[in-house]
Amino acid sequence: MTRLLQPVVAGVVTAVVGFASSFAVVLAGLRAVGADQRQAASGLLALCVANGVVALWLGLRQRLPITIAWSTPGAALLVATGAVEGGFPAAVGAFAVSGLLLTAAGLFPALGRWIGAIPAPVAGAMLAGVLLDLCLAPVRALAEIPLLAGPAVLVWVVLGRFARRWATPVALLVAVAAIALTGKAPGAADLWPIVEVTAPAWSAQALVSVALPLFLVTMASQNVPGMAVLAGYGYRPPLRGILVSTGLASTLGAPFGGHAVNLAAISAALAAGPDAGPDPSRRWIASVTAGVSMIVLGIGSGLATALVVLSPPLLVEAVAGLALLGALASAVASAVADPEGREAAVVTFVVTASGLTLLGIGAAFWGLVAGGLMTLLHRRPASPEAPAPPEVATGTGTGVGTGTASASGTVTASGHADAGTADAVPASGR
């Protein structure tokens, strides 16, 4: 019984932390691209159900702790993009196309290799530019609504020092308490889950401004880091099946308002690490439990949406910004890590963060274009490599294996060797 209890508890914690720390980002993103309250609540429910179903399917089928999440950086992208031509139906069409692109990346490895060819500094800078405005919201909120935002920020700072994984969920609870003190409360009708179908519409502007950047951000900031986290704990599931499953789930969830589901990054460590039990071969129970828990949490999506609607918009953005500060730090670090790509990364960041809209197309796309052009312009011709020095035998063997994840779907070996702890868990998403 004890052997079962630990992974089950870890799975519940994974779902609760993942949901509470970023559902405000999801709702802010859906509202930004035109969803009303019912459509946003339906989108949150669709994401919870899609997450749960895919986690159950992959976990039970492969017996590996494959944790599924919604694309938090993708939701931040929606906030940065704002309303698109054609309104929310056009955004829904873009969500569906993004899901099809994720599926295609799994079915056609060449597409995954093209995505992998985007320079890491440019991809990191684009994500940083997308996240910047939301991450500035806590500062603005402290200036404009200090009595509401101050306690939430203070709790986040303190818990970030002593219980990091709970910092954002508890800060959210403090914000909810602040809302309650204003005398606002959701009605009884808001307690029920909401299913609202939105027929997709097709807009070239939405496809370029939403579908393509959403696909790129989801791949670069969720799926690839998620595979790296799993490899860090000794698990190497086939990426192809994950991309096909999450891509199809994203497309099927789009008419209900869901924007994208994918591999978890940060919360993947909660289900794949030692917290989920000493036996690595049984940690899949944690990811399956997390999937079931996400479906249960989805039942409260109507209430969660109502609370967000009742609160000042800046307070919601402030909580979302607190949740994304770690992702911003990771993106900035990736953008400036390579000195040769730093100038292109800065150009990408500036263009993306500017909020530029040109020809009806949002700033994330133009930031990627600008960074790509700068990379090509400053690329140095390859120089002949110097011959490698002879290898010196030391008489000792390390036997250390490293696991890497690419976007091409070539990670095929599976295993359960416990790698202890992952010292560098990417902070780019849930």
Side-chain angles (χ1 to χ4, degrees):
M1 183 67 180
T2 304
R3 294 178 63 211
L4 181 63
L5 182 62
Q6 190 170 357
V8 167
V9 171
V12 173
V13 170
T14 298
V16 171
V17 170
F19 181 92
S21 64
S22 58
F23 83 86
V25 187
V26 171
L27 293 175
L30 295 176
R31 296 298 298 271
V33 292
D36 59 26
Q37 180 177 345
R38 290 185 59 84
Q39 290 167 331
S42 177
L44 185 59
L45 173 60
L47 291 170
C48 290
V49 172
N51 287 351
V53 170
V54 176
L56 284 167
W57 164 252
L58 293 176
L60 293 173
R61 186 167 183 263
Q62 300 190 25
R63 291 297 197 270
L64 294 173
I66 304 171
T67 306
I68 303 301
W70 52 57
S71 177
T72 304
L77 169 71
L78 301 182
V79 175
T81 302
V84 295
E85 179 183 335
F88 190 61
V92 166
F95 299 164
V97 171
S98 177
L100 291 176
L101 289 173
L102 289 171
T103 305
L107 294 176
F108 305 102
L111 178 58
R113 287 194 292 270
W114 294 341
I115 303 306
I118 298 175
V122 171
M126 181 186 72
L127 178 59
V130 165
L131 298 177
L132 179 63
D133 190 59
L134 263 181
C135 289
L136 292 174
V139 180
R140 295 197 300 266
L142 284 174
E144 298 181 24
I145 47 173
L147 294 180
L148 293 177
V153 173
L154 179 60
V155 166
W156 180 85
V157 170
V158 173
L159 287 182
R161 170 64 178 84
F162 298 103
R164 180 175 295 273
R165 75 175 59 170
W166 295 104
T168 302
V170 176
L172 175 65
L173 290 177
V174 172
V176 170
I179 296 168
L181 291 175
T182 64
K184 298 178 180 179
D190 298 321
L191 301 179
W192 297 96
I194 297 172
V195 177
E196 187 86 3
V197 178
T198 301
W202 313 108
S203 159
Q205 185 235 358
L207 294 179
V208 178
S209 295
V210 177
L212 182 58
L214 180 58
F215 164 64
L216 295 175
V217 164
T218 300
M219 284 294 296
S221 303
Q222 292 277 178
N223 287 326
V224 173
M227 288 296 289
V229 171
L230 289 174
Y233 287 105
Y235 304 101
R236 296 178 179 87
L239 181 57
R240 175 174 182 169
I242 293 172
L243 291 178
V244 171
S245 299
T246 56
L248 290 175
S250 297
T251 299
L252 293 174
F256 301 97
H259 68 292
V261 297
N262 40 246
L263 266 177
I266 292 178
S267 56
L270 300 177
D275 288 343
D279 183 358
S281 67
R282 293 176 57 82
R283 292 178 188 167
W284 62 269
I285 298 173
S287 66
V288 168
T289 303
V292 174
S293 301
M294 282 299 295
I295 295 175
V296 173
L297 289 169
I299 297 174
S301 58
L303 175 60
T305 307
L307 288 171
V308 167
V309 171
L310 289 172
S311 65
L314 186 55
L315 182 60
V316 177
E317 292 180 10
V319 175
L322 293 175
L324 292 170
L325 281 174
L328 177 61
S330 179
V332 171
S334 173
V336 301
D338 181 7
E340 291 189 4
R342 197 167 292 166
E343 191 169 20
V346 170
V347 170
T348 304
F349 172 76
V350 169
V351 174
T352 304
S354 70
L356 167 75
T357 299
L358 184 63
L359 302 177
I361 299 171
F365 175 81
W366 295 118
L368 193 63
V369 170
L373 292 176
M374 285 292 292
T375 300
L376 293 175
L377 181 63
H378 291 277
R379 175 174 291 172
R380 298 178 182 177
S383 58
E385 293 185 5
E391 188 173 347
V392 178
T394 62
T396 60
T398 60
V400 176
T402 59
T404 59
S406 72
S408 60
T410 58
V411 183
T412 56
S414 62
H416 299 290
D418 191 2
T421 60
D423 295 326
V425 177
S428 54
R430 287 179 50 246

